[in-house]
Structure formats: structure tokens, C-alpha cells
Amino acid sequence: MGADELSATLWRERRQLDFLLFLLETQLLHLRAGSWHRLNITAAELEKVLEKLRFESLARSVEASSAAAEWKAPDKSTLPALMEIAPSGVWAELLDEHLQAMITLLSSIDAAAKDNISALLRGPTANAADADDLSVLAPQANIQRALDAVKGTSLRSLRDFLGLN
């Protein structure tokens, strides 16, 4: 346990954030192409990666606490706080690299989420005369599921750890 494991956990979390961004961008492409029937798939994939990120968040918390204890820092230290007290050598630089990459990913995720929400709220264009109850309700359920998944990308605990809140 310690800094090595914290860095490895941050790498895993960065990969999941990058995959989350990919999924948001993919969903947006489907929305813009009018492939609303794909929402059940894209929403399910978003839910899966968000679940993995919740697990990574727990792992990060454990590893950050371990590194903090090793470096005689308060428990629940933010990443910037850990950078400040990191022992001389590569740790401060490596942690800063993680911090900058994660801030960039979160910024891109926020933009993609905002675009997804706008597209989802506009909804598909349908001919109301051809619509029956099921053809209206099923897409609406998929839209709501996708909205809920996209809104789950706020990642509050990660933002706290990065010192962004």
C-alpha cells in the first residue's frame, strides 16, 4: 500500500474516465444521427462504466488514505494536498500529471454530458399522427434512462479528491 498503489489506482480511474468520455461521445453521435433506438444500449454502457468508477473511487480512497498515512498527512487529503507533502523525487510530478489529466478529462466529460443532455431533452422528431402509445412511451423510457445515466457523470467524490469543489 502507499504511493505506488495510489498511482496505479489513478491510472485505472483515468482509463475509466476516458472510456466514459468515449461513451458520451458515442451516445451523442447516435442522438445526432437520429438513432434513438440505440439509447437502451448506450445508457446501459454508461451505467456500467459509472459503476466501475464507483468501485475505483473506493479503491482510490483506500490508497490515498494509505499514502497519506505513509507521508504523515491527514486522512482524506486531496490530491493537491498529497502533492504538496510528497517526498522529494518523482511523486509530486507524477501526482500532478494525474491531476492535470483528470481535470482535462472531467472538463471534456462535462462538455459531452451537457451536449448529451441538450440532445436528450430535445428528443426525437416523430410524426405524431403515426405514433401509438407504445411507440411514444418506450423511447421516453429510454430517454429518461439515458438522462439519468448522463446526470450520474458528476463524479462528486473525484472532484473533491482533485480539489475542484
Side-chain angles (χ1 to χ4, degrees), residues 107-128:
S107 177
S108 297
I109 287 167
D110 288 346
K114 181 180 175 187
D115 291 344
N116 268 266
I117 289 170
S118 293
L120 287 163
L121 290 175
R122 277 193 304 274
T125 55
N127 185 351

